[in-house]
Each structure stands twice: as C-alpha cells, then as structure tokens.
C-alpha cells in the first residue's frame, strides 16, 4: 500500500498545482494580451450606447432577426436545448419558427429558409447569421422601412465578415452590428 500511496499523493498535488494554478494563470495571461484584454467585445451604436456583442433578440419587422436561442440569449446560462432532431417537441418548435418566419416574409419559400434562422446555436448566444439568412430578410425590412432593396443589399455586403485567413469558416454577419448600421442609414 505504501508503494501506491506516495505516488498518488505526488500525482494529485502536481495535478492540483497544474490545473488549479498554472493553467488558469496561463489562460489569464493569454486573455490579457488578446484584443480588448479578455474583457469581451462591445459594440457602440450611433447614439453612443454600448451593447455586449452576443446574440440579441430582434423581433421587429424593421430589423434583421437573429438566430433563435434555447436560453433566450442569457449569457449566465449559455447552452443548447439538447433535444434530438427527431424529438417531437423540438420539431414542433422548429415548425413554429418556420411558420412565424413565413408569416412575416410571405415571399420566401419554406425550402429557402436558411437553417440558422430556425435552429438555435450550441451556445444560444451566437451573434452571427449567414449571409443568406440576412439576404432573405431584405424584402421585409425594405417594405417596413421604405428603403430600397439595393441599398439594403449594399449594407449586407458591407457588413459581411470574411472567413478567418480567407479559408477558415464561412462568411457571416454580426446581426447587432448590422442592425446598428441599419438604424444609421439616412
């Protein structure tokens, strides 16, 4: 027993120091040299108000809608619904989202609705949507705001973020930044 006890105590102590001390300090140090010193990102609107750059609820016809959230965009408890794609309750929720979207966007066919407008992200806090998800909402917003479709298409193109290093990930649009730019249009 003595031959196993001492190595176990040494290993436990070493792992405690490593995982409870060295690793958190390393992560803190990396955060401090990262953009915004690891404090997260905020977006400033034209009226000077700052917003936290996580998913936000936009339900008005005058705005681009965000990706749905299983946690109602609550950053204190991020997460997904964890329901299987075959779960009846989940399927009913997705169908309701499709119906709601089609009610407000009657010119859109059901099969053309991008998946990111009807399914929540893994964290429930995703601030981005696909370019297609933004483009499919342009007609509704143009009608609601009385803005030319071509101007909204230009705005979407201006707000499109390219993949990291040009190859890692898809093109995306931050909905909060897009809606702030939309409000700034004259």
């Amino acid at each position: 027993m003595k031959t196993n006890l001492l190595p176990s105590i040494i290993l436990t102590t070493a792992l405690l120091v490593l995982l409870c001390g060295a690793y958190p300090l390393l992560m803190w140090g990396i955060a401090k040299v990262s953009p915004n010193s690891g404090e997260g990102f905020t977006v400033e609107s034209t009226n000077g108000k700052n917003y936290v750059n996580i998913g936000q609820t936009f339900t008005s016809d005058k705005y681009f809608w965000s990706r749905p959230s299983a946690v109602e965009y609550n950053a204190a408890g991020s997460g997904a619904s964890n329901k299987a794609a075959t779960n009846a309750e989940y399927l009913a929720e997705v169908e309701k989202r499709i119906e709601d979207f089609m009610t407000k966007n009657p010119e859109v066919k059901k099969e053309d609705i991008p998946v990111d407008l009807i399914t929540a992200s893994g964290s429930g806090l995703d601030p981005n949507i696909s370019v297609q998800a933004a483009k499919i909402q342009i007609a509704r917003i143009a009608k609601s705001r009385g803005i030319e479709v071509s101007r909204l298409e230009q705005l979407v193109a201006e707000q499109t973020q390219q993949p990291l290093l040009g190859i890692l990930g898809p093109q995306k649009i931050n909905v909060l930044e897009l809606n702030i730019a939309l409000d700034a249009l004259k």
Side-chain angles (χ1 to χ4, degrees):
M1 184 165 149
K2 289 181 183 180
T3 59
N4 293 331
L5 188 59
L6 185 59
S8 298
I9 292 172
I10 291 171
L11 182 60
T12 301
T13 304
L15 286 173
L16 278 171
V17 168
L18 179 68
L19 299 176
C20 296
Y23 180 75
L25 284 174
L26 175 67
M27 292 298 106
W28 177 80
I30 290 171
K32 286 300 172 187
V33 298
S34 69
N36 210 27
S37 297
E39 298 297 323
F41 291 96
T42 57
V43 177
E44 186 175 333
S45 70
T46 53
N47 65 7
K49 187 173 179 183
N50 287 332
Y51 296 92
V52 177
N53 193 15
I54 62 170
Q56 312 267 330
T57 303
F58 293 101
T59 56
S60 170
D61 290 348
K62 293 182 172 191
Y63 289 103
F64 288 92
W65 294 350
S66 301
R67 187 167 190 172
S69 173
V71 295
E72 302 304 321
Y73 306 103
N74 180 357
S78 70
S81 68
N82 294 332
K83 295 176 183 166
T86 57
N87 180 292
E89 184 180 323
Y90 175 73
L91 291 173
E93 192 174 325
V94 170
E95 281 298 321
K96 177 161 181 7
R97 290 175 185 157
I98 291 170
E99 287 174 25
D100 291 347
F101 186 84
M102 291 182 69
T103 299
K104 298 288 185 162
N105 301 274
E107 68 285 343
V108 176
K109 296 179 199 163
K110 182 177 180 178
E111 60 270 9
D112 293 336
I113 301 172
V115 71
D116 54 324
L117 286 178
I118 56 172
T119 60
S121 67
S123 69
L125 304 175
D126 192 352
N128 303 314
I129 56 173
S130 65
V131 175
Q132 180 59 26
K135 286 181 178 179
I136 206 164
Q137 300 180 66
I138 287 176
R140 179 192 78 238
I141 296 164
K143 181 180 176 185
S144 178
R145 287 188 177 243
I147 298 174
E148 291 182 26
V149 169
S150 62
R151 182 62 187 111
L152 290 175
E153 289 171 342
Q154 179 184 358
L155 181 66
V156 166
E158 291 168 1
Q159 292 293 318
T160 299
Q161 299 170 10
Q162 298 303 317
L164 182 63
L165 303 175
I167 57 170
L168 299 175
Q171 290 182 325
K172 60 188 176 192
I173 296 177
N174 183 294
V175 179
L176 176 60
E177 292 174 0
L178 178 60
N179 284 330
I180 288 172
L182 180 61
D183 279 343
L185 285 179
K186 301 288 180 195

